[in-house]
């Protein structure tokens, strides 16, 4: 779809103001209309999405700096700042990430709708939870749950300073602006809050949201807070005596409001802690922070491997299958790869096989080089060892879930196709995946059983088994057994 530019009849004036106006694409307009007009209680997710976007921008600039350290020269510190302003009714999320070029502003935010935009609109119409917005790659638009206007200021090393602005009324404008003194590189998103959303300016509320949704972001998230401090004031007092006038200094203390940045999140990676020191609530919070899921995981596996290779990992099984589980256009896995705590990529196709693409989590390697490329990864021996271990531990996790019948029913309904693909594609682990298969049985109405359970119920000396395939249970029930 071509970018639609709203042509201004006064061309000279448009050039003079250095401003261009664009229409949102149809899919983006539909999404914005749904967001603006929906009644949704958990509006706090907008802040989670903005912080997540800032974290991604910081990941990009840090990764690029591995091969080109000069990228960080303009702004060496990597940070996320959350700045409320009660005077202006605005909440600003600022970062020193990669920043956006003019082209990025047009393509990533306004006009060229990603495939996820349309799918998310369809999912919303079918009753999906709005908090899933981040999983579709369109989390920025959640700002319109609470805002009447959004302004973005951004600076990329390879481009000028730009401002993006929209009221979500079908169009947005982009303008080249003079340099901003304290923005050397990165992005500031200024959310102009609606009158009924001013709770998001309160310090206590903001701390609660950041702790809840962004505790394990690997960069410092600093909230601007107000503190009342005492300031000494020297005053001169005069006393008149019979013999002489006496001057004396008296010290008074005045209360002054001071603003300062206070780091809110715990930046120590959770996978570096001892397992016995981590509460289930912390695992759940970490899972939600890396997946944008609103539910707790169905299963988890936290482990470390030492010897041939050294790495730490945490794997999770979600409670539901993602909407695009078998969509070949999406990224092939959901494992974030770190090297010595430095984020490298989240789409390393050789890290885990495609049939386990629903597994989410992180891997932190001590052995891979920091500047490794995607092409080099494909031939990397260390990565092959990590992959074998991830498959092995994933299977262990599935058997742990299977120890609870109710949980395994949920798991099997969501991911049975993946288990069957494992049987078909993984010759080395075929027998283990086969043990995870479940079947309907003529002995039970609803319960699914393993082949091992079926064998246990066989009569002594029985050598033949009947396996019958039907798409629907009703047709199976009409069969007469002899």
């Amino acid at each position: 779809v071509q970018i639609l530019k709203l042509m201004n009849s006064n061309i000279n004036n448009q050039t003079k103001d250095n401003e261009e106006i664009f229409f949102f694409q149809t899919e983006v307009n539909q999404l914005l209309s749904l967001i603006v007009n929906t009644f949704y209680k958990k509006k706090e997710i907008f802040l989670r999405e903005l912080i997540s976007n800032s974290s991604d921008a910081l990941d990009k600039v840090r990764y690029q700096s591995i091969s080109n350290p000069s990228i960080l020269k303009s702004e060496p510190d990597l940070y996320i700042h959350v700045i409320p302003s009660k005077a202006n009714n605005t909440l600003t999320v600022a970062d020193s990430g990669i920043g956006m070029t003019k082209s990025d502003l047009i393509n990533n935010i306004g006009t060229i709708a990603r495939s996820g935009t349309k799918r998310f609109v369809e999912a919303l119409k079918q009753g999906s939870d709005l908090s899933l917005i981040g999983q579709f790659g369109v989390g920025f638009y959640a700002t319109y749950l609470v805002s009447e206007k959004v302004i973005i200021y951004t600076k990329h090393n390879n481009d000028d300073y730009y401002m993006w602005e929209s009221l979500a009324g079908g169009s947005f404008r982009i303008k080249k602006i003079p340099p901003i003194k304290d923005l050397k590189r990165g992005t500031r998103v200024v959310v102009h809050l609606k009158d009924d959303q001013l709770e998001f300016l309160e310090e206590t509320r903001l701390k609660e949201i950041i702790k809840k949704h962004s505790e394990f972001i690997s960069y410092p998230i600093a909230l601007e807070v107000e503190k009342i401090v005492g300031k000494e004031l020297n005053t001169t007092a005069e006393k008149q005596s019979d013999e002489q006038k006496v001057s004396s200094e008296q010290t008074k203390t005045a209360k002054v409001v001071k603003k300062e940045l206070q780091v809110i999140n715990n930046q120590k990676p959770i996978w570096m802690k001892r397992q016995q020191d981590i509460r289930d609530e912390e695992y759940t919070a970490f899972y939600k922070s890396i997946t944008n899921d609103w539910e707790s995981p169905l299963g988890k596996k936290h482990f470390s491997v030492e010897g041939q290779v050294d790495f730490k990992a945490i794997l999770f099984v979600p409670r539901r299958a993602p909407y695009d589980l078998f969509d070949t256009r999406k990224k092939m896995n959901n494992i974030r790869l770190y090297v010595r705590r430095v984020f490298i990529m989240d789409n390393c196709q050789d890290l885990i096989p495609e049939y386990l693409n629903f597994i989410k989590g992180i891997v932190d390697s001590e052995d891979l080089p920091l500047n490794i490329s995607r092409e080099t990864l494909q031939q990397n021996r260390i990565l092959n060892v990590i992959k074998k271990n991830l498959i092995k531990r994933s299977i262990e996790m599935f058997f742990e879930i299977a120890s609870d019948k109710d949980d395994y029913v949920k798991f099997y309904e969501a991911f049975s196709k993946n288990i069957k693909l494992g049987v078909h594609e993984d010759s080395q682990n075929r027998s283990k995946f086969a043990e995870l298969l479940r079947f309907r049985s003529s002995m039970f109405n609803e319960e699914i059983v393993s082949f091992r359970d079926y064998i246990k119920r066989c009569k002594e000396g029985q050598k033949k088994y009947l396996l019958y395939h039907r798409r629907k249970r009703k047709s199976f029930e009409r069969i007469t057994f002899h």
Side-chain angles (χ1 to χ4, degrees):
V1 181
Q2 294 292 320
I3 296 174
L4 301 176
K5 185 184 293 185
L6 188 62
M7 299 302 294
N8 192 322
S9 57
N10 190 340
I11 301 297
N12 293 329
N13 188 52
Q14 185 178 12
T15 305
K16 180 181 176 182
D17 292 341
N18 211 9
E19 178 180 308
E20 293 174 279
I21 300 175
F22 299 85
F23 284 119
F24 284 114
Q25 271 191 333
T26 304
E27 291 87 353
V28 178
N29 251 336
Q30 289 175 343
L31 175 59
L32 287 172
S33 178
L34 282 169
I35 289 173
V36 170
N37 298 307
T38 191
F39 178 74
Y40 185 68
K41 290 183 178 179
K42 300 177 183 177
K43 297 186 177 184
E44 65 190 51
I45 64 166
F46 86 94
L47 184 54
R48 176 195 72 187
E49 296 303 325
L50 290 182
I51 291 175
S52 178
N53 289 346
S54 290
S55 177
D56 290 344
L58 289 165
D59 282 340
K60 287 178 182 177
V61 76
R62 184 164 71 168
Y63 180 64
Q64 289 186 17
S65 72
I66 295 169
S67 56
N68 183 12
S70 65
I71 284 179
L72 295 180
K73 188 177 180 180
S74 56
E75 176 56 81
D77 294 332
L78 301 179
Y79 63 78
I80 300 172
H81 292 168
V82 180
I83 306 168
S85 172
K86 291 183 179 179
N88 300 311
N89 287 352
T90 61
L91 183 68
T92 300
V93 177
D95 65 66
S96 57
I98 194 70
M100 286 184 277
T101 62
K102 180 183 176 182
S103 177
D104 292 334
L105 286 171
I106 296 170
N107 296 341
N108 295 347
I109 298 179
T111 53
I112 300 179
R114 302 176 188 177
S115 57
T117 309
K118 188 173 183 179
R119 290 201 297 267
F120 183 55
V121 170
E122 292 170 353
L124 277 181
K125 290 178 178 178
Q126 294 169 9
S128 288
D129 195 294
L130 189 61
S131 65
L132 286 171
I133 189 167
Q135 297 186 25
F136 291 76
V138 288
F140 166 78
Y141 302 117
T143 53
Y144 289 99
L145 285 167
V146 298
S147 70
E148 55 187 23
K149 178 172 70 174
V150 178
I151 300 177
I152 298 173
Y153 301 96
T154 189
K155 175 67 175 76
H156 189 285
N157 282 344
N158 299 331
D159 208 341
D160 297 308
Y161 286 82
Y162 284 96
M163 181 189 77
W164 180 102
E165 179 182 354
S166 179
L167 303 172
S171 65
F172 62 93
R173 68 189 183 103
I174 295 176
K175 184 177 181 179
K176 183 179 176 181
I177 58 174
I180 300 172
K181 184 178 179 181
D182 55 348
L183 178 63
K184 305 299 183 185
R185 184 197 63 245
T187 300
R188 289 179 186 172
V189 180
V190 183
V191 181
H192 290 255
L193 295 168
K194 298 175 183 175
D195 290 338
D196 60 347
Q197 302 299 326
L198 301 185
E199 66 178 281
F200 297 111
L201 297 177
E202 299 299 328
E203 179 183 322
T204 304
R205 183 76 171 109
L206 292 170
K207 284 182 177 179
E208 173 195 340
I209 296 169
I210 294 169
K211 281 281 187 185
K212 179 180 178 182
H213 294 293
S214 308
E215 171 73 9
F216 299 106
I217 294 292
S218 54
Y219 302 97
I221 304 171
L223 174 66
E224 186 178 85
V225 299
E226 292 183 347
K227 286 197 172 183
I228 299 176
V229 295
K231 184 177 181 181
E232 291 187 353
L233 300 174
N234 291 325
T235 60
T236 302
E238 291 187 351
K239 291 183 180 179
Q240 190 76 33
S241 66
D242 294 338
E243 298 178 358
Q244 60 180 353
K245 183 184 284 186
V246 179
S247 295
S248 65
E249 281 196 349
Q250 296 178 349
T251 302
K252 290 185 178 180
T253 302
K255 290 184 177 179
V256 179
V257 176
K258 181 182 177 183
K259 291 185 178 181
E260 63 180 42
L261 290 168
Q262 185 181 103
V263 176
I264 304 300
N265 61 321
N266 176 8
Q267 297 157 63
K268 182 177 180 180
I270 189 173
W271 60 87
M272 298 300 293
K273 298 180 180 179
R274 297 187 308 167
Q275 293 184 44
Q276 57 266 38
D277 294 336
I278 307 172
R279 295 175 287 110
D280 285 342
E281 293 83 359
E282 291 182 88
Y283 280 118
T284 299
F286 177 67
Y287 167 76
K288 290 180 178 180
S289 75
I290 63 172
T291 63
N292 291 327
D293 199 346
W294 81 100
E295 292 183 300
S296 59
L298 189 60
K300 70 173 188 299
K301 195 76 173 175
H302 184 181
F303 62 95
S304 59
V305 173
E306 297 176 355
Q308 189 178 4
V309 297
D310 290 353
F311 72 91
K312 292 178 171 62
I314 305 181
L315 305 179
F316 296 99
V317 172
R319 287 187 176 273
R320 302 168 191 261
Y323 72 99
D324 56 355
L325 183 59
F326 294 104
D327 187 343
T328 55
R329 294 171 296 177
K330 76 178 188 73
K331 62 182 183 180
M332 301 311 293
N333 74 67
N334 292 281
I335 307 293
R336 296 169 65 90
L337 176 63
Y338 290 78
V339 174
R340 296 185 289 284
R341 271 63 68 204
V342 175
F343 174 73
I344 302 300
M345 65 183 74
D346 61 359
N347 190 20
C348 178
Q349 297 185 11
D350 296 285
L351 197 57
I352 201 163
E354 188 177 349
Y355 61 83
L356 293 179
N357 64 352
F358 63 94
I359 299 291
K360 301 175 186 289
I362 69 96
V363 169
D364 188 356
S365 169
E366 297 292 333
D367 305 302
L368 289 170
L370 278 172
N371 59 351
I372 194 165
S373 66
R374 293 180 187 274
E375 293 74 21
T376 310
L377 275 170
Q378 294 175 358
Q379 310 297 328
N380 194 277
R381 178 192 62 81
I382 295 171
L383 198 71
N384 290 330
V385 176
I386 293 175
K387 180 178 180 179
K388 288 180 181 178
N389 276 276
L390 293 184
I391 297 171
K392 175 185 173 183
R393 299 304 180 114
S394 295
I395 294 171
E396 289 176 5
M397 181 166 50
F398 302 155
F399 276 104
E400 289 167 7
I401 296 173
S403 63
D404 184 305
K405 272 192 174 182
D406 292 337
D407 280 350
Y408 198 71
V409 168
K410 296 174 188 174
F411 171 82
Y412 202 73
E413 285 177 353
F415 306 113
S416 59
K417 289 181 180 178
N418 299 79
I419 298 301
K420 292 170 185 176
L421 280 171
V423 173
H424 178 70
E425 296 179 7
D426 191 340
S427 58
Q428 189 173 352
N429 294 289
R430 182 167 294 150
S431 60
K432 292 177 181 177
F433 278 111
E435 289 183 50
L436 293 163
L437 293 173
R438 295 295 183 267
F439 308 91
R440 298 287 179 185
S441 170
S442 59
M443 182 169 286
F444 304 105
N445 288 327
E446 297 297 332
E447 186 177 342
I448 54 176
V449 299
S450 67
F451 190 63
R452 180 171 290 182
D453 290 336
Y454 176 81
I455 296 296
K456 286 179 181 178
R457 294 199 310 272
C458 288
K459 296 177 183 178
E460 189 176 348
Q462 181 177 337
K463 295 182 179 180
K464 294 183 179 180
Y465 313 103
L466 179 62
L467 178 65
Y468 211 85
H469 182 267
R470 281 287 185 271
R471 288 188 177 273
K472 295 183 179 179
R473 184 175 178 82
K474 286 186 179 180
S475 60
F476 174 77
E477 289 171 347
R478 291 195 291 267
I479 300 170
T480 302
F481 296 95
H482 297 287

